Amino acid sequence: MSLRATWKGYLKLGEVVCAVALYTAVSTSERVRLHMVNRRTGHALNRRFVDPETRKEVERADQVKGYEIASDEYVMLDPEEIAAVVPAGDKTLSVEGFIPCGEVDDLYFDRPYYLRPADEVSRTSFAVIREGLRRKQVAALARGVLFRRPRSLLIRAYDQGIVATTLNYDYEVRSVAEAFEDIPDVTIEGEMLDLARHIIDTRMGIFQPETFVDRYDDALAELVRAKIEGRKIAAPKEPARGKVVDLMDALRRSAGLSGKEGTKGEAAKRVGKSSAGKSSASKSSTRKTVARKAPARRAG
């Protein structure tokens, strides 16, 4: 495997232990990265910590972490003090129990990692754990210390390996009831609901992540290429926004019904037709080559 492991340790299920390596499953390293630069000199800028009162730069030896207890008043914590209270890691992901796949609300998903055997000796025990999860269609809940922080992980069989997803703690997930408490109850029925169902049925597809385009990243890449090549780039046009008379009219138009067709009977006839078998084959979009490796500038 060409990827570099970010953590190595052991996966422990009862008395079954195997050496494993953890690899980051999601990376932002391919995004276009911009730096802060001095407009006059073209030099990249360095970040420095400055005391707001003295206006002087603070040396690294004098930089400590602190917790604000009042306005501009902090309790200072030395690195040794923090290390003394943080649970020590034993490089082990210990399985504590199992739950049906799909049981965990994805609001609790934090970051996914690929987990694979770290050596040949561990391949058999790793496969036993993986296939046990797959056959029983369950996920394992494990605990361990990752990157100096205790974490809970959801472990699932995935292809020939395992995906370990760190989980957000309950206090980190904001209350759903609080977010939606002021949304009033609205009863939707009749033609309006039939049209909504029809629109969904006619646009059903499958999840194809390769068709999603990062338009922001692509726009930055094109802008960088244009600057290097000395050409101007046109700003994207604003999408046309049609005026919506009312919700029912918008639903009828979205369902492909014109104003004349927009009668209740015609809508019911359209909605009644089965949309099964309709699938739009979309070509997988190849990401544009980003101008990370800029061509050499011409002399003179």
Side-chain angles (χ1 to χ4, degrees), residues 145-206:
V145 177
L146 291 180
F147 318 119
R148 295 180 293 182
R149 186 179 178 89
R151 301 303 305 254
S152 296
L153 300 98
L154 186 72
I155 293 177
R156 298 166 290 165
Y158 197 96
D159 199 57
Q160 291 300 104
I162 285 174
V163 168
T165 305
T166 53
L167 300 175
N168 295 315
Y169 289 105
D170 190 52
Y171 75 87
E172 295 176 307
V173 178
R174 302 181 70 176
S175 168
V176 172
E178 187 177 312
F180 301 149
E181 63 182 355
D182 60 343
I183 299 179
D185 290 333
V186 178
T187 301
I188 304 297
E189 55 188 17
E191 182 187 3
M192 191 173 287
L193 185 58
D194 288 339
L195 285 168
R197 288 171 176 166
H198 175 65
I199 294 168
I200 294 171
D201 288 341
T202 55
R203 300 188 184 189
M204 282 295 292
I206 59 174

Side-chain angles (χ1 to χ4, degrees), residues 218 221-231 288-291:
D218 284 353
E222 178 59 21
L223 177 60
V224 172
R225 281 194 292 268
K227 295 281 284 188
I228 292 172
E229 297 167 5
R231 56 184 173 84
K288 298 177 182 178
T289 303
V290 182

